[in-house]
Amino acid sequence: MAVMTSRFADGLAVGSDLVGAAETAVGQALSRLSGRADLVCFFICGDDPEDVARAGEAAMRLAPDAHVVGCSATGVIGDGQGVELLPAVSAWAATLDGARLTTFQLETLAAEDRFVVVGLPERGADDHVAILLADPYTFPTDAFVERSVDVLGDLPLIGGLANGLQGRGSVRLFADGEVYTEGAIGVLISGPVRISTVVSQGCRPIGPSMVVTASEDNLLLELAGQPALARLEDIVSELDEDDRELVASGLQIGVAMDEYAERHERGDFLIRGVIGIDPEREAVAIGDIVEIGRTVRFQVRDAATADEDLYDLLDAHREQLGKVDGALLFSCNGRGSAMFGTADHDPVALRDTLGPIGMAGFFAAGEVGPVAGHNHVHGFTASVLVFSSPGP
């Protein structure tokens, strides 16, 4: 049973009657609050997109005086557990005394030879964070997030890519009474509220840090003056058998966020996938464009590393912030049972480290969160929005 806190609470209901599940989950979250709900978030997993839409409408009706956002997903998180690929609804409610909340809906319009995103809220001096829920099939989330600094400045974005069990066309987004079948929605949180983010990419480095000395688009041609493929082969040759298996199952690369740091260790990198090699050019292809002069380091990911990384980050966060009251969790759909053998791993990690707080979220098709002050879209990541008690 979820534990009621003074300002945050969650709910979870599993069952094929999605409307009933939505009413139960949202009702649980609202009833466990000690005050009036200012913000309600909910997440729905269901087979039929129209059933999902009806459940979302029911959820929004239950909190007519709050700002309400939500989305469809292939799995939901609530009541300290995860539920994957089964009809279920999770909900989260928050009392944010004095905070200003601005919901928004984003869409993409064609303008001459480019696309323009419209619907962004105007920035204020006391804005803290924007929660972003996007349809990956109709909204250019990667480009929007990577270039968000141009229009949003240093505003952190946190959230995830929604999905549906039927894939393209089955995504449903919800915001303040409206149902959307494309684009993105979200809520901007401003005013006197204490918010922070945790982004756990779950990787550990192998081999040394190296400067990119030649590149072309997403091809790394030279690392530290030597062919990139030769550098990679040298690193792999020195690994033990277990790490070689991790390399074979999915090698990653980290791009250092702080070029001026004396050392670059775990957590100092933006993680991107290694997507192939070009033997003729002795090049390594990665899932991003890295300029000459940047520092990179190859990485591997497994359940043990991802577990350690999440717990370490959350422990450090709790020590820095003190009492944590609530959280929203956006966990990759490649984590859960696929990585850890249980859908409960990430919500249990939050409960173990942050305590019995009001916490909910969903399994996303991509996670949004800041690394070293810059917003990015991630994979195999747990992005967490943390609400803390006001400081002295």
Side-chain angles (χ1 to χ4, degrees):
M1 178 177 177
V3 177
M4 185 184 77
T5 70
S6 60
R7 298 186 298 143
F8 301 87
D10 61 86
L12 174 70
V14 181
S16 57
D17 176 8
L18 283 183
V19 171
E23 292 173 343
T24 298
V26 174
Q28 288 173 350
L30 293 174
S31 67
R32 294 166 179 167
L33 277 184
S34 59
R36 181 181 67 87
D38 296 307
L39 176 61
V40 174
C41 301
F42 65 88
F43 312 100
I44 305 173
C45 179
D47 295 312
D48 185 343
E50 297 313 309
D51 284 347
V52 171
R54 284 188 287 270
E57 291 171 333
M60 290 186 287
R61 286 195 297 268
L62 289 175
D65 298 325
H67 289 279
V68 186
V69 295
C71 68
S72 59
T74 58
V76 303
I77 295 168
D79 199 24
Q81 61 187 295
V83 180
E84 299 171 315
L85 305 176
L86 292 174
V89 180
S90 66
W92 180 87
T95 299
L96 301 171
D97 295 326
R100 294 195 324 280
L101 302 171
T102 307
T103 54
F104 57 86
Q105 188 261 332
L106 306 179
E107 56 182 324
T108 308
L109 302 178
E112 298 179 354
D113 59 343
R114 59 195 176 95
F115 290 98
V116 177
V117 173
V118 297
L120 283 169
E122 291 191 10
R123 285 292 316 273
D126 59 350
D127 295 341
H128 292 292
V129 70
I131 300 169
L132 181 70
L133 308 175
D135 175 1
Y137 304 104
T138 64
F139 188 75
T141 314
D142 287 79
F144 172 75
V145 170
E146 293 293 337
R147 299 173 185 172
S148 62
V149 66
D150 296 336
V151 289
L152 297 175
D154 59 356
L155 181 72
L157 296 177
I158 193 119
L161 304 186
N163 210 339
L165 292 179
Q166 305 301 322
R168 179 182 291 273
S170 68
V171 174
R172 297 293 182 268
L173 305 170
F174 308 94
D176 283 356
E178 299 295 329
V179 181
Y180 301 96
T181 58
E182 59 183 23
I185 59 97
V187 58
L188 175 65
I189 305 177
S190 313
V193 59
R194 195 168 182 224
I195 303 177
S196 54
T197 60
V198 175
V199 177
S200 174
Q201 300 178 88
C203 284
R204 60 178 167 85
I206 56 172
S209 295
M210 297 168 287
V211 175
V212 177
T213 49
S215 65
E216 180 181 305
D217 296 327
N218 69 325
L219 284 179
L220 300 179
L221 302 176
E222 286 186 5
L223 296 174
Q226 299 295 322
L229 183 56
R231 285 286 188 184
L232 174 58
E233 290 172 341
D234 288 343
I235 292 170
V236 173
S237 69
E238 297 178 359
L239 299 177
D240 60 30
E241 184 175 346
D242 289 341
D243 279 351
R244 288 185 187 181
E245 290 182 3
L246 293 179
V247 168
S249 63
L251 180 64
Q252 314 292 317
I253 193 166
V255 183
M257 291 289 95
D258 182 1
E259 288 295 322
Y260 301 102
E262 293 184 4
R263 298 182 63 185
H264 296 102
E265 302 297 338
R266 189 177 70 184
D268 296 330
F269 298 93
L270 173 66
I271 303 300
R272 291 296 185 246
V274 173
I275 59 178
I277 60 173
D278 184 339
E280 292 186 3
R281 303 183 69 182
E282 294 189 85
V284 177
I286 67 172
D288 207 341
I289 296 176
V290 180
E291 298 175 348
I292 293 173
R294 297 298 298 271
T295 298
V296 298
R297 192 173 182 184
F298 288 107
Q299 313 267 330
V300 292
R301 178 189 283 122
D302 62 357
T305 299
D307 173 85
E308 181 182 359
D309 187 62
L310 180 57
Y311 272 89
D312 285 351
L313 287 172
L314 291 172
D315 280 333
H317 211 67
R318 186 200 65 244
E319 291 176 4
Q320 177 184 357
L321 293 175
K323 186 176 185 297
V324 174
D325 295 331
L328 285 168
L329 169 61
F330 308 97
S331 182
C332 181
N333 56 20
R335 292 170 69 99
S337 59
M339 178 177 287
F340 301 107
T342 171
D344 301 338
H345 177 274
D346 288 354
V348 167
L350 264 69
R351 184 184 61 198
D352 288 347
T353 54
L354 304 182
I357 60 175
M359 181 271 298
F362 73 100
F363 290 99
E367 304 74 57
V368 177
V371 173
H374 297 276
N375 295 315
H376 301 281
V377 178
H378 309 275
F380 293 94
T381 291
S383 291
V384 189
L385 181 60
V386 180
F387 294 79
S388 306
S389 297

